[in-house]
Each structure stands twice: as C-alpha cells, then as structure tokens.
Amino acid sequence: AWILIAAIVLLISVVALFFWMYRAMIKQRKIAEIKTDFANNITHELKTPLTSLNLIVKSFQNEQLLQNPEMMESLIQSMSRQNNRIQQIFDRILETTVDNPKVNWENIEIVQFLKDHVKDYQSNTHDIGLELEPKELFLQTDSYQLGRVLQNILQNAEKYSPEGSEIWIKGKERQNEYWIEIHDLGRGISPAEKKKIFEKFYRVSQGNLHDVKGLGLGLYLSKQIIESLNGSISVESQIGKGSIFTLKLPIS
Ligand code: ADP
C-alpha cells in the first residue's frame, strides 16, 4: 500500500510540475507577444510625425521656399507640432515607469470644472454633450490629474466611435460619490476584453492589425490616477452599440 501511495504522490507531483511548466511557458509567450505588439505600436505612432519632419527637412532644400516668409512660418509651426507629438509619446511611456501619480489635493467645484473642461477640449470630430446635476458640488481632488483622465477617456470615445456620432458626459451624485459617465456610440468592448483594457500596454486587436493608433497606456494610466484620487473606474459596453466609462469619486 505504501508503494501505491508513493506512486500516486509522485504522479500528482509530475502532473503538477508539467502544469506549472506549461503555465510558465504560456506566460513567457504572452510577454513576448506584448513586447512585439508594443514595438509595433510605437513604430506606428512615431511614423506620422517622423514622416512629416522628413518632408519638412526636405522642403528646406528648396530655394524658392526659403525666400517665402509665410511658407517658412507655416513649416516652422508644423515642425513644432510634430516635435510636441513625439515628446508626448515619450512622456507617456516614461510615465508608466512611475508607480503612483503625484496628487495635489484641492477643493474643486466639479460641475463647473466639467463644463470648463469640455469647453476647452474642442473636438474636431464630435459634439460633446453635457448632462450635469446637481448645480454645484465641491470635491477634494486634483483638477490636473482628473483632467488628464477625462482627456484620455474622451480621446478614446472619439477614436473608437464614428465621426459625428454623439458623445456625452453625465455627472451625478450617488451615495457619497460623484459619478462621471462618458458615453459613446462606438464599436464597444466585449465582456472578455473589459478587464484587460486597463492593463499596461493592452490593446484590443482588430484582426492582426490595429486600425486606430495607440500605445495601450491611456486606460492603464487613467486607472492608476483615479485610484490615487481614492476613486474607481469601470466600463459597461455592448459590441457595436457603444460604451460608458464611469469614474466614481468620493465626496467627503
Ligand atoms: P489605446 O487607445 O492607446 O489603445 P487605451 O489604454 O486607452 O489604449 O485603451 C485600451 C484599449 O481599450 C484600446 O486599444 C481599445 O481597444 C479599447 N477601448 C478604449 N476605449 C474604448 C471605447 N470608448 N470604445 C471601444 N473600445 C475602447
């Protein structure tokens, strides 16, 4: 009987070892996949500004153009825009190496803050509506950091929904929390992808190619920020119908 027990224990250990090795292998493969995807995404993101800069540098070899002050001015402005874009991409990557976003606590009136934010946001592709209640509510938060989260979510709502479709923000008070919902009528997110989209570098793949640019960092950073503000971020979505991202912030 002892031999039988020993054999069973040995068999279980071998099976467990194989299972563990198999899981480790899958994990390694997943990491390799994420790395390749990330390298592809960065290349994709940098392509446009670098191509533009290349063209601008070539135009500087054109004698006629060098004598036209208006053209020169427009080229310099365009150079500066592309340069800023590249800077933003690197800043975003660097940010992910810092664990906790720095919070400057302040008392802000959230309803006016949302109105101002949407006014300054100025979308080129969508109209952004507002449905805010109550009239006035004060929160302890960090307006700069909260603004960055709203910016990320609004940019996604634009990127992943058809041009001209409706995007709207609802603000409401719910049991000691202020809820900010960002609604879009875009492509939506499947239940399986819902948890993963908040992970670092994760992007939902559309076949093998991404038709929309991105690094898969916006929602990861947004979650880090909202949690530093003692709040939470969640999503409800239906494929092909649209998504609602909800930010919940504590009132007291
Ligand atoms: P990025 O947009 O750079 O890929 P994010 O971290 O902001 O990275 O988003 C992760 C993924 O979540 C995106 O690749 C996209 O597939 C999905 N996603 C985010 N917002 C939306 C949205 N409003 N509608 C549909 N899919 C979305």
Side-chain angles (χ1 to χ4, degrees):
W2 284 112
I3 294 178
L4 188 67
I5 293 173
I8 292 172
V9 169
L10 189 68
L11 187 70
I12 293 174
S13 312
V14 170
V15 171
L17 184 69
F18 269 105
F19 184 66
W20 179 81
M21 277 168 61
Y22 176 74
R23 291 234 343 222
M25 201 182 77
I26 298 272
K27 202 171 166 192
Q28 277 303 320
R29 197 178 289 171
K30 185 102 198 110
I31 291 172
E33 230 171 71
I34 291 175
K35 277 188 187 160
T36 318
D37 276 356
F38 186 54
N40 285 339
N41 291 334
I42 291 193
T43 315
H44 203 74
E45 281 275 304
L46 287 176
K47 216 177 201 163
T48 320
L50 288 179
T51 311
S52 306
L53 281 176
N54 222 346
L55 284 174
I56 295 168
V57 170
K58 281 207 181 106
S59 347
F60 280 125
Q61 289 160 352
N62 180 332
E63 283 289 327
Q64 265 179 333
L65 204 141
L66 292 181
Q67 275 144 28
N68 181 334
E70 270 171 31
M71 282 299 278
M72 282 296 284
E73 176 65 29
S74 128
L75 280 178
I76 290 168
Q77 274 177 11
S78 169
M79 239 168 121
S80 156
R81 271 198 306 275
Q82 304 308 336
N83 191 42
N84 285 345
R85 181 74 202 114
I86 295 173
Q87 185 68 48
Q88 275 169 9
I89 295 170
F90 282 106
D91 284 350
R92 177 146 279 211
I93 296 167
L94 271 181
E95 245 180 284
T96 57
T97 58
V98 181
D99 274 344
N100 290 315
K102 198 174 164 292
V103 177
N104 286 317
W105 293 104
E106 56 190 326
N107 202 19
I108 67 161
E109 202 283 284
I110 189 72
V111 180
Q112 191 58 42
F113 170 82
L114 289 173
K115 283 184 194 160
D116 292 343
H117 187 86
V118 168
K119 205 161 102 200
D120 293 343
Y121 183 77
Q122 289 187 343
S123 168
N124 293 323
T125 49
H126 295 71
D127 272 334
I128 301 173
L130 277 172
E131 288 173 35
L132 303 174
E133 57 180 72
K135 281 216 174 78
E136 199 184 69
L137 186 81
F138 285 88
L139 287 184
Q140 272 302 3
T141 191
D142 178 329
S143 55
Y144 168 70
Q145 297 288 13
L146 181 59
R148 292 174 63 212
V149 175
L150 283 170
Q151 173 110 353
N152 284 338
I153 311 281
L154 280 173
Q155 273 172 359
N156 279 348
E158 286 183 346
K159 277 192 334 191
Y160 301 107
S161 70
E163 214 174 307
S165 65
E166 232 181 307
I167 294 175
W168 68 104
I169 299 182
K170 275 189 183 178
K172 53 196 178 193
E173 199 181 340
R174 288 286 179 278
Q175 299 149 4
N176 276 332
E177 282 180 335
Y178 192 71
W179 291 13
I180 306 169
E181 297 175 353
I182 298 97
H183 296 240
D184 71 62
L185 300 174
R187 61 162 78 148
I189 302 157
S190 74
E193 309 278 5
K194 260 173 31 184
K195 277 196 200 119
K196 298 193 206 154
I197 56 172
F198 295 101
E199 288 170 13
K200 208 188 235 181
F201 303 133
Y202 189 82
R203 305 198 70 208
V204 176
S205 55
Q206 311 292 322
N208 274 332
L209 275 175
H210 290 297
D211 52 353
V212 183
K213 283 189 201 173
L215 294 174
L217 292 175
L219 287 180
Y220 167 76
L221 288 171
S222 300
K223 186 164 187 277
Q224 301 281 105
I225 295 175
I226 285 293
E227 285 174 359
S228 314
L229 299 175
N230 299 327
S232 65
I233 179 168
S234 56
V235 62
E236 280 169 58
S237 188
Q238 255 185 303
I239 284 285
K241 293 239 165 91
S243 311
I244 308 171
F245 280 84
T246 307
L247 313 175
K248 296 180 181 172
L249 296 168
I251 289 177
S252 49

